[in-house]
Amino acid sequence: MATGTSPAEIGGATPQMEKLLNTIIQIKASDLFITVGSKPAIKKGGHYRLMETKVLDKDDTVALMKSITPDRCQQELQEVGGTDFAIEYKEGVRFRVAVFRQRGTIGIVMRRIPSEFLSFEQIRMPEAIKRLINRPRGLLLVTGPTGSGKTTSLASMINFLNNNYDRHIITLEDPIEYYHKHIKSLVNQREVGVDVPDFKEGIRRALRMAPDIILVGEMRDLDTIHAAIEAAETGHIVFGTLHTNSASSTVNRIIDVFPKDQQDQIRTQLSVALIGVLSQTLLPRKPDGVIAAYEMMIVTPAISNLIRENKTYRIDSSIQTGAKEGMFLMDESLFRLWREGICEKEEVLLKCQKPQELADRIRAAEEGALDDDDEDEEDDDDDDDDRPRRKRPSRSRDDDDDDDDD
């Protein structure tokens, strides 16, 4: 981890939260990390650096925590060892906060929430998403590890609908990060732990509030997942998130949450309710900043049948052959980011599902061993400028190569 540079210097004294947050805003960093035994650290463009302050001790982190944490969250911290909430600092700048105990001391991680909604074009959202979010019913999942931009993607979807369609949108969030104004749609945002006790109860209550769209901030347990699937079956669009890395692993994760004797029934329900899975990850962008790579699965009749028949191991192949429907695998997206000079080779290889296959493909491209005629033909067939195009090396390749897997 690099030491702090001049923009991050706030003096060698005990840091105050106000100065730390001002620095985050000033240099447009994404995260602030506070822990005992280290100077405060920031993250910008996917890289960490230490701020020029004193090394924090136990009293420092407790004081910093108490300066921003509501009483109810301090109580939760005492009871369960961690709490999550969001704060509005100033000028509309908001932070998502995670406070936790570690080795008997307090740690804090704060993520700056962008003050403006990003357009689909800015985040290179797959074009297929516009079609899916305008469906009359179904379950659309946005997946990826923590910090992969799922919340930003969902906020962009809600903002797009809010600006273009008259809908009643209910969001269930823990905590609320982006605030939506009523534009063409009515947007009611409920915070778990403040406005509603949990996600399951929030979904149950939402069904009585005449919603068109329900956003479930996190599908973290069986009851919530079951309630979300049933809501999607009963004529609503439901957006949800899971901490999975691909479409096939998402389907498996949902099924595996249920007891064995219920899994056949859930496969059938999911094959009908699920309309798409958008998996994503963030990686550093040249020369600075971050960018998302995506995997897009649209539930076609063929994929629905694979889910119902417990053949999820074949989903990747169906995605690979579904380019005309707007589908593509994660490694396709990563290859395109490298090919366009947006990301370094080392970064895309760190994030890919099949490192050796992607490395071979990149090497073939570097050696000029890709078939330009085939490349042009794929471009002609591609209606989505943001969708990665497959480019095969001229040497023989197995048709079953997925360039991705979980």
Side-chain angles (χ1 to χ4, degrees):
M1 184 184 294
T3 57
T5 56
S6 54
E9 291 176 1
I10 60 174
T14 301
Q16 296 179 348
M17 185 60 77
E18 182 179 2
K19 291 183 178 180
L20 294 173
L21 297 184
N22 284 340
T23 302
I24 294 293
I25 295 168
Q26 176 189 351
I27 67 175
K28 299 180 179 179
S30 61
D31 298 271
L32 170 66
F33 301 85
I34 294 170
T35 191
V36 170
S38 171
K39 298 177 181 180
I42 63 171
K43 185 178 181 182
K44 181 180 179 182
H47 300 287
Y48 297 86
R49 69 174 66 167
L50 296 177
M51 303 174 80
E52 289 302 327
T53 73
K54 62 167 284 191
V55 173
L56 300 175
D57 59 29
K58 183 177 180 179
D59 292 337
D60 294 329
T61 61
V62 170
L64 289 168
M65 178 275 291
K66 288 184 175 180
S67 71
I68 59 170
T69 306
D71 290 342
R72 66 173 182 84
C73 294
Q74 291 190 43
Q75 181 178 348
E76 184 181 20
L77 175 65
Q78 291 296 322
E79 293 173 353
V80 299
T83 185
D84 303 307
F85 56 95
I87 61 170
E88 184 159 353
Y89 178 51
K90 63 179 182 180
E91 299 173 357
V93 179
R94 289 172 53 76
F95 289 88
R96 182 178 69 196
V97 186
V99 182
F100 53 93
R101 287 193 171 278
Q102 63 94 26
R103 294 192 293 185
T105 63
I106 297 297
I108 307 171
V109 177
M110 302 182 68
R111 167 154 293 184
R112 182 170 58 91
I113 302 169
S115 56
E116 296 182 355
F117 295 104
L118 300 177
S119 69
F120 284 178
E121 291 72 26
Q122 286 175 306
I123 61 176
R124 297 168 66 96
M125 181 74 75
E127 187 69 23
I129 288 295
K130 288 184 181 179
R131 302 195 306 269
L132 292 177
I133 63 177
N134 209 20
R135 295 266 193 97
R137 67 185 64 84
L139 177 64
L140 175 63
L141 299 176
V142 179
T143 78
T146 301
S148 59
K150 298 186 297 294
T151 300
T152 298
S153 293
L154 286 168
S156 296
M157 294 178 198
I158 297 298
N159 187 58
F160 176 83
L161 290 165
N162 192 14
N163 279 283
N164 292 281
Y165 301 98
D166 57 330
R167 301 282 191 271
H168 181 204
I169 302 170
I170 298 172
T171 75
L172 306 168
E173 304 173 71
D174 182 19
I176 294 173
E177 297 186 22
Y178 289 86
Y179 282 164
H180 295 272
K181 297 180 180 178
H182 308 296
I183 305 176
K184 285 192 173 182
S185 295
L186 289 174
V187 186
N188 286 307
Q189 297 181 262
R190 308 189 73 193
E191 183 165 332
V192 172
V194 178
D195 304 309
V196 65
D198 53 47
F199 285 110
K200 178 191 174 184
E201 179 68 9
I203 297 171
R204 188 173 76 86
R205 296 292 181 182
L207 294 176
R208 301 178 182 180
M209 296 160 60
D212 297 300
I213 296 161
I214 304 171
L215 184 152
V216 184
E218 189 173 342
M219 294 167 53
R220 59 177 60 152
D221 55 48
L222 184 152
D223 289 338
T224 302
I225 292 172
H226 200 188
I229 292 174
E230 290 186 337
E233 286 183 307
T234 56
H236 306 87
I237 281 284
V238 179
F239 301 158
T241 70
L242 283 172
H243 295 290
T244 48
N245 294 321
S246 69
S248 58
S249 66
T250 298
V251 174
N252 289 332
R253 169 70 180 279
I254 291 174
I255 301 300
D256 290 343
V257 164
F258 290 84
K260 292 289 185 182
D261 61 345
Q262 297 179 27
Q263 290 184 359
D264 287 341
Q265 177 188 345
I266 293 300
R267 284 191 191 95
T268 300
Q269 287 184 270
L270 189 63
S271 70
V272 174
L274 188 64
I275 59 174
V277 177
L278 177 70
S279 299
Q280 61 184 78
T281 188
L282 287 183
L283 60 164
R285 179 175 191 160
K286 298 191 297 186
D288 56 37
V290 293
I291 190 168
Y294 299 101
E295 174 172 301
M296 183 77 247
M297 181 189 82
I298 300 167
V299 179
T300 60
I303 290 180
S304 178
N305 192 52
L306 293 177
I307 295 172
R308 188 166 49 250
E309 295 184 357
N310 195 21
K311 296 180 179 178
T312 53
Y313 59 90
R314 291 173 53 184
I315 285 178
D316 284 354
S317 295
S318 293
I319 294 174
Q320 203 170 18
T321 57
K324 289 184 178 180
E325 286 79 24
M327 292 191 270
F328 54 88
L329 293 163
M330 179 63 74
D331 286 12
E332 292 289 335
S333 181
L334 291 166
F335 177 79
R336 182 171 174 81
L337 290 175
W338 169 80
R339 185 76 180 239
E340 294 179 357
I342 296 173
C343 298
E344 297 286 358
K345 176 172 64 175
E346 293 75 17
E347 297 293 345
V348 302
L349 290 175
L350 282 174
K351 298 288 187 176
C352 69
Q353 303 291 341
K354 292 186 175 180
Q356 188 57 56
E357 292 184 12
L358 185 57
D360 291 343
R361 190 175 179 192
I362 290 174
R363 188 180 305 109
E366 290 173 332
E367 295 171 355
L370 295 183
D371 188 338
D372 291 336
D373 292 337
D374 183 45
E375 195 173 312
D376 293 339
E377 183 179 317
E378 286 170 2
D379 287 348
D380 292 339
D381 289 340
D382 193 349
D383 296 325
D384 179 2
D385 290 339
D386 286 337
R387 187 171 70 241
R389 290 97 170 177
R390 300 199 70 239
K391 299 152 179 109
R392 292 186 175 87
S394 57
R395 66 179 186 274
S396 173
R397 285 174 59 99
D398 189 346
D399 288 341
D400 287 334
D401 269 356
D402 285 344
D403 292 322
D404 182 314
D405 195 15
D406 188 344

